[in-house]
């Protein structure tokens, strides 16, 4: 990221936390999980949200290998994108550190911040445990 | 409550016309709609207009009054944006406005100019219908999102790519007599299975094309239609809209469309019909898997069974409930902001007997349109019936 880039409060802070091994999710008093940036629980409307440590690993629920990317991922294709279940929340990320053909539902992964080969911007990665 | 009549419809050809401006496309569609309706332009009370990516494609915001002017209408005009459901929600608000008695005549429609962006540019523009922070920055594209749903469907309910291929084959077949369709060529299951992959398991032939085009519809109150002796036998008798969590990963279901189910149930209740009454439907098949999710959400197929509907002939032109007789987004084309209004035009002409595929549904009296935005965080459904 260039020094002039304005940060997205909440989201970039969250990526920082992932890099420091301290990923979290937001929890309301009714135990609904959600992802930042947000001030209101989307399930019950509670505004009392607390940062709670995210489970260390998640499991891939569904995935795709993208061959026709947006320009921001031109040099990255083909790459695998997946939705992984961490229990309280699901998260979308790019599966890294494994051949795209080896990605499958049920694969256990952990979060890792990587960078786009095309833009050098930070990308949320899933690396197999 | 006043019936809302479809007094006239107009479509441009959908396809590849990178040099044509949005205003030119809408002018053509609206001229056709006014000619078809017999309604004078000065009777229009409001213009409701759908468009998604005009800022990116034409560097043009504030398109409502621009398009009213292009149509030759001097009336208040508002743009609606709900991604690929933009003109579907415009139709819904036009229905609400007329039913309330606040308007007698509304010009409603939409435009999208896309091919001038090129494939990469259009892919980027479509992607912004998803969550920028959590989805787009992870590399998710629009086909990629539907591919995630397709893979989730296979895991949960079974089915395979070959089942999806039959949907593409069916919709190309339906488009053969539709001169406005982007593709008028028959394809085979093997063509779909052997096409280059876009986002696995979806390939090039599972995907709708990038399209330019416009649609316009003149809606009137029943009282206006009767007072002016209009030939307007088709009414919009039901309207519904549903919503879901924005990012796909935040949904309760990865392989169902609850927003479309909500919209459908609301529209059916509004019209006083149920899924069993539906004779024909135009659904939002931006990708082959989307047609499966749509017909299940509309109650036309049980959950988990829609995957075989085309393969087993239940939704073909000869089937019990033909789906996408226009060719659908897949073969007719998908200029996103025009799609919802174009579906109203297709069902109206199918029911009125003036569509090239009307003979497939010659006893039909009830049709449904289903228009989805993004990965179906927005959905709008309309019921149309022959009433005169
Ligand atoms: Zn809550």
């Amino acid at each position: 990221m260039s020094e002039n880039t304005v940060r997205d409060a909440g989201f970039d802070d969250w990526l920082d936390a992932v890099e420091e091994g301290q990923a979290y999710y937001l929890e309301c008093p009714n135990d609904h999980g959600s992802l930042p940036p947000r001030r209101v629980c989307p399930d019950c409307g509670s505004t009392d949200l607390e940062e709670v440590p995210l489970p260390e690993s998640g499991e891939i629920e569904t995935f795709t290998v993208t061959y026709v990317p947006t320009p921001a991922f031109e040099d990255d294709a083909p790459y695998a994108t997946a939705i992984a279940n961490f229990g309280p929340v699901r998260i979308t990320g790019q599966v890294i550190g494994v051949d795209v053909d080896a990605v499958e539902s049920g694969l256990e992964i952990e979060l890792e911040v990587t960078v786009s080969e095309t833009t050098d911007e930070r990308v949320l990665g899933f690396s197999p445990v | 409550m006043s019936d809302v009549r479809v007094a006239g419809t107009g479509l441009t050809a959908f396809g590849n016309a990178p040099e044509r401006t949005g205003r030119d496309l809408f002018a053509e569609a609206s001229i056709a709609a006014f000619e078809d309706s017999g309604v004078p332009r000065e009777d229009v009370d409001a213009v409701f207009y759908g468009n998604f990516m005009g800022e990116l494609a034409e560097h043009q915001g504030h398109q409502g009054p621009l398009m009213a002017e292009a149509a030759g209408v001097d009336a208040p005009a508002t743009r609606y944006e709900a991604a690929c459901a933009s003109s579907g929600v415009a139709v819904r608000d036009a229905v609400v406005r007329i039913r309330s008695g606040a308007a007698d005549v509304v010009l409603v429609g939409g435009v999208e100019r896309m091919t001038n962006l090129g494939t990469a540019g259009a892919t980027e523009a479509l992607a912004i219908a998803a969550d920028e922070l959590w989805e787009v920055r992870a590399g998710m594209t629009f086909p990629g999102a539907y591919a995630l749903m397709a893979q989730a469907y296979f895991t949960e309910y079974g089915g395979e790519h070959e089942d999806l291929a039959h949907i593409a084959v069916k919709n190309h077949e339906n488009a053969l007599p539709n001169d406005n369709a982007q593709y008028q060529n028959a394809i085979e299951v093997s063509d779909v299975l052997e096409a280059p992959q876009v986002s696995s398991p979806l390939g090039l032939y599972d995907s709708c094309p990038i399209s330019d085009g416009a649609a316009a519809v003149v809606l009137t109150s029943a009282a206006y239609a009767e007072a002016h002796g209009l030939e307007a036998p088709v009414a919009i008798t039901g309207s519904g809209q549903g919503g879901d969590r924005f990012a796909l990963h935040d949904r309760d279901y990865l392989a169902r469309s609850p927003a479309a189910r909500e919209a459908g149930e609301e529209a059916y209740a509004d019209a006083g019909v149920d899924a069993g009454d539906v004779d024909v439907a135009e659904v939002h098949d931006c990708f082959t898997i989307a047609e499966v999710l749509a017909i299940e959400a509309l109650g036309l197929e049980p959950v988990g069974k829609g995957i075989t509907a085309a393969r087993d002939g239940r939704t073909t032109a000869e089937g019990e409930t033909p789906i996408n007789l226009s060719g659908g987004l897949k073969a007719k084309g998908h200029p996103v902001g025009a799609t919802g209004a174009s579906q109203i035009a297709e069902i109206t002409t199918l029911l009125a007997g003036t569509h090239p595929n009307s003979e497939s549904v010659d006893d039909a009296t009830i049709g449904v349109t289903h228009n989805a935005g993004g990965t179906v965080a927005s959905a709008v459904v309309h019921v149309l019936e022959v009433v005169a």
Side-chain angles (χ1 to χ4, degrees):
Chain A
M1 264 195 309
S2 83
E3 291 201 4
N4 293 326
T5 304
V6 175
R7 289 167 58 86
D8 288 306
F11 182 73
D12 281 316
D13 303 331
W14 188 84
L15 286 180
D16 292 347
V18 173
E19 283 177 330
E20 289 155 15
Q22 295 179 338
Y24 55 87
Y25 67 99
L26 303 178
E27 190 181 71
C28 78
N30 296 315
D31 296 334
H32 300 130
S34 62
L35 296 168
R38 107 173 45 235
R39 292 171 183 270
V40 183
C41 172
D43 287 306
C44 69
S46 168
T47 54
D48 180 14
L49 302 181
E50 190 186 353
E51 293 180 4
V52 176
L54 191 75
E56 294 262 310
S57 64
E59 189 179 288
I60 287 181
E61 266 190 59
T62 187
F63 65 96
T64 180
V65 179
T66 291
Y67 297 87
V68 182
T70 62
F73 290 95
E74 206 172 355
D75 300 335
D76 296 72
Y79 58 86
T81 299
I83 292 178
N85 191 332
F86 285 80
V89 289
R90 288 203 206 95
I91 300 177
T92 305
Q94 234 176 65
V95 189
I96 56 173
V98 59
D99 192 88
V100 292
D101 297 326
V103 177
E104 56 185 4
S105 297
L107 186 67
E108 196 184 352
I109 52 85
E110 56 191 13
L111 296 180
E112 187 181 322
V113 175
T114 178
V115 291
S116 157
E117 286 176 34
T118 315
T119 61
D120 268 347
E121 297 279 350
R122 292 194 293 182
V123 174
L124 183 62
F126 293 155
S127 80
V129 174
Chain B
M1 193 167 61
S2 178
D3 259 354
V4 176
R5 298 292 185 86
V6 185
T9 66
L11 298 173
T12 67
F14 284 5
N16 196 35
E19 73 290 350
R20 290 191 67 183
T21 59
R23 67 188 85 188
D24 179 54
L25 291 164
F26 193 66
E28 182 188 333
S30 62
I31 287 168
F34 280 120
E35 280 176 2
D36 185 39
S37 70
V39 172
R41 285 176 172 77
E42 54 268 29
D43 282 6
V44 173
D45 297 309
V47 178
F48 291 173
Y49 165 81
N51 175 263
F52 174 51
M53 58 177 73
E55 286 82 357
L56 297 171
E58 300 201 277
H59 197 64
Q60 185 66 66
H62 201 193
Q63 292 193 18
L66 170 68
M67 294 305 171
E69 186 179 325
V73 172
D74 180 13
T78 308
R79 169 178 165 185
Y80 286 76
E81 192 272 295
C84 310
S86 293
S87 60
V89 295
V91 169
R92 175 170 163 75
D93 270 18
V95 168
V96 171
R97 179 76 64 96
I98 291 169
R99 282 179 172 181
S100 76
D104 269 320
V105 181
V106 178
L107 174 66
V108 58
V111 168
E112 214 67 62
R113 183 182 185 184
M114 301 172 73
T115 66
N116 63 322
L117 292 168
T119 300
T123 301
E124 183 177 32
L126 288 166
I128 68 172
D131 186 324
E132 163 64 18
L133 296 179
W134 288 99
E135 297 182 319
V136 181
R137 290 196 198 177
M140 199 180 84
T141 61
F142 190 45
Y146 275 90
L148 291 169
M149 291 190 261
Q151 188 61 51
Y153 189 101
F154 292 164
T155 302
E156 188 150 357
Y157 304 114
E160 56 182 357
H161 191 203
E162 191 167 341
D163 297 315
L164 296 178
H166 283 268
I167 296 167
V169 169
K170 165 181 76 70
N171 291 347
H172 272 254
E173 186 76 25
N174 289 343
L176 289 176
N178 182 355
D179 289 335
N180 283 329
Q182 189 156 354
Y183 297 132
Q184 281 184 287
N185 64 309
I187 60 169
E188 314 255 345
V189 166
S190 59
D191 294 325
V192 184
L193 296 178
E194 289 159 18
Q197 292 207 293
V198 174
S199 217
S200 67
L202 305 179
L204 197 59
Y205 280 52
D206 290 280
S207 313
C208 62
I210 293 164
S211 317
D212 305 304
V217 177
V218 177
L219 299 181
T220 74
S221 63
Y224 179 96
E226 279 149 25
H228 293 79
L230 301 183
E231 181 78 25
V234 176
I236 300 180
T237 57
S239 178
Q241 186 173 350
D244 203 345
R245 298 283 290 277
F246 191 54
L248 185 57
H249 63 213
D250 283 333
R251 309 262 174 87
D252 287 342
Y253 300 99
L254 297 177
R256 295 193 204 180
S257 298
R261 184 170 292 276
E262 251 175 57
E265 285 174 355
E266 186 184 2
Y268 291 153
D270 191 24
V273 303
D274 61 39
D277 299 322
V278 175
D279 297 311
V280 60
E282 287 285 313
V283 306
H284 197 97
D285 61 322
C286 49
F287 299 94
T288 46
I289 185 66
E291 180 166 313
V292 176
L293 302 178
I295 59 179
E296 292 183 3
L298 292 172
L300 303 176
E301 285 281 323
V303 171
K305 302 292 183 202
I307 187 90
T308 57
R311 188 173 192 161
D312 294 345
R314 297 191 293 280
T315 52
T316 57
E318 300 76 32
E320 196 185 331
T321 310
I323 302 291
N324 287 329
L325 283 171
S326 67
L329 285 51
K330 172 69 193 87
K332 183 180 69 166
H334 182 29
V336 294
T339 290
S342 80
Q343 293 173 322
I344 300 288
E346 300 288 356
I347 290 290
T348 299
T349 51
L350 280 163
L351 293 179
T354 55
H355 190 283
N357 278 331
S358 282
E359 65 182 33
S360 296
V361 284
D362 51 8
D363 293 328
T365 56
I366 298 181
V368 162
T369 64
H370 157 276
N371 187 201
T375 50
V376 208
S378 294
V380 57
V381 172
H382 285 103
V383 176
L384 289 84
E385 295 184 63
V386 179
V387 294

